[in-house]
Amino acid sequence: MNKYFAECIGTFWLVLGGCGSAVLAAAFPDVGIGLVGVSFAFGLTVLTMAYAIGHISGCHLNPAVSIGLFVGGRFPASQLAPYIGAQVVGAIIAGGVLFLIASGQAGFETNGFASNGYGEHSPGQYSLFAAIVCEVVMTALFLVVILGATDERAPAGFAPIAIGLCLTLIHLISIPVTNTSVNPARSTGVAFFEGGWALAQLWVFWLAPIAGAALGALMYGVIGKKETEEA
């Protein structure tokens, strides 16, 4: 159970830190942190939790990552459901805490509540097709970095830095397109409180990241294959 509790806490921190920075700080008058600040907030949540709970649960914090690791032969199928359940619960609790904090401001409106979207709900008005391509590609490369950085042949102790910076870069690229998901739990945690259009579009931010994660795992399976030692 400690693994599942760690995943719940870790995903809670990712959603509270990342989405919280977007809802509470990004557009704050005069001192808003903007796109760059939000991008680093997401990366820092993963980096800090990777060092805190990586040795306990592996610090997936993301159903797509768990599924990608399974496809890549790094995670057992028997633990997929409880890991994903713990991640989604942690994300929804974080969404609830964020909603309680944000709604304490006078004149509060959800304004999307950091939800992911396409079409009129995309920050840059990008189409459904563009959103799917973006989420699949970004999640695929995220899995390549995760699998590569945690490979036994990689330098020990640096994986959290590489993974956290990768997630930062992903946000810098794709916030204008979908507000960046690459994580079905993250999307669910805030969509649950935004409701309406966010829940209606949520299917994209489950299917596309999962497809991307599986693709990334297959890609790393090719490029990361150990060469047969010569006799």
Side-chain angles (χ1 to χ4, degrees), residues 115-135 175-180 197-205 208:
S115 296
N116 304 113
Y118 57 85
E120 64 178 322
H121 300 294
S122 156
Q125 308 290 290
Y126 285 84
S127 67
L128 170 60
F129 179 75
I132 291 173
V133 171
C134 184
E135 288 291 325
I175 283 178
V177 183
T178 62
N179 212 22
T180 311
W197 67 264
L199 289 174
Q201 295 191 357
L202 185 59
W203 65 273
V204 173
F205 304 104

Side-chain angles (χ1 to χ4, degrees), residues 21 35-46 164-165 167-168 171-172:
S21 70
L35 181 153
V36 174
V38 173
S39 299
F40 272 99
F42 273 100
L44 288 171
T45 61
V46 171
L165 288 176
L167 189 59
T168 298
H171 279 76
L172 287 171

Side-chain angles (χ1 to χ4, degrees), residues 1 14 31 56 89 109 114 153 156 159 172 187 207 214 219:
M1 288 299 296
L14 183 147
V31 292
I56 300 171
V89 168
E109 295 180 3
R153 296 165 292 174
L172 287 171
S187 298
L207 292 183
M219 290 167 58

Side-chain angles (χ1 to χ4, degrees), residues 18-206:
C19 296
S21 70
V23 171
L24 303 176
F28 197 81
D30 301 325
V31 292
I33 61 175
L35 181 153
V36 174
V38 173
S39 299
F40 272 99
F42 273 100
L44 288 171
T45 61
V46 171
L47 190 157
T48 52
M49 270 297 159
Y51 280 116
I53 67 169
H55 56 287
I56 300 171
S57 69
C59 193
H60 299 184
L61 316 185
N62 183 337
V65 168
S66 296
I67 292 171
L69 292 174
F70 162 70
V71 173
R74 300 270 194 95
F75 192 67
S78 61
Q79 292 188 32
L80 275 178
Y83 259 61
I84 292 171
Q87 292 155 2
V88 172
V89 168
I92 292 175
I93 295 172
V97 170
L98 180 57
F99 186 86
L100 288 174
I101 295 170
S103 61
Q105 184 182 40
F108 167 72
E109 295 180 3
T110 56
N111 292 323
F113 204 58
S115 296
N116 304 113
Y118 57 85
E120 64 178 322
H121 300 294
S122 156
Q125 308 290 290
Y126 285 84
S127 67
L128 170 60
F129 179 75
I132 291 173
V133 171
C134 184
E135 288 291 325
V136 168
V137 172
M138 295 300 162
T139 315
L141 272 296
F142 191 33
L143 261 293
V144 170
V145 171
I146 290 170
L147 289 166
T150 56
D151 193 300
E152 61 183 12
R153 296 165 292 174
F158 292 97
I161 299 173
I163 295 167
L165 288 176
C166 179
L167 189 59
T168 298
L169 177 58
I170 286 170
H171 279 76
L172 287 171
I173 297 167
S174 62
I175 283 178
V177 183
T178 62
N179 212 22
T180 311
S181 173
V182 302
N183 184 337
R186 167 261 189 270
S187 298
T188 303
V190 287
F192 187 85
F193 293 91
E194 173 62 23
W197 67 264
L199 289 174
Q201 295 191 357
L202 185 59
W203 65 273
V204 173
F205 304 104
W206 273 86

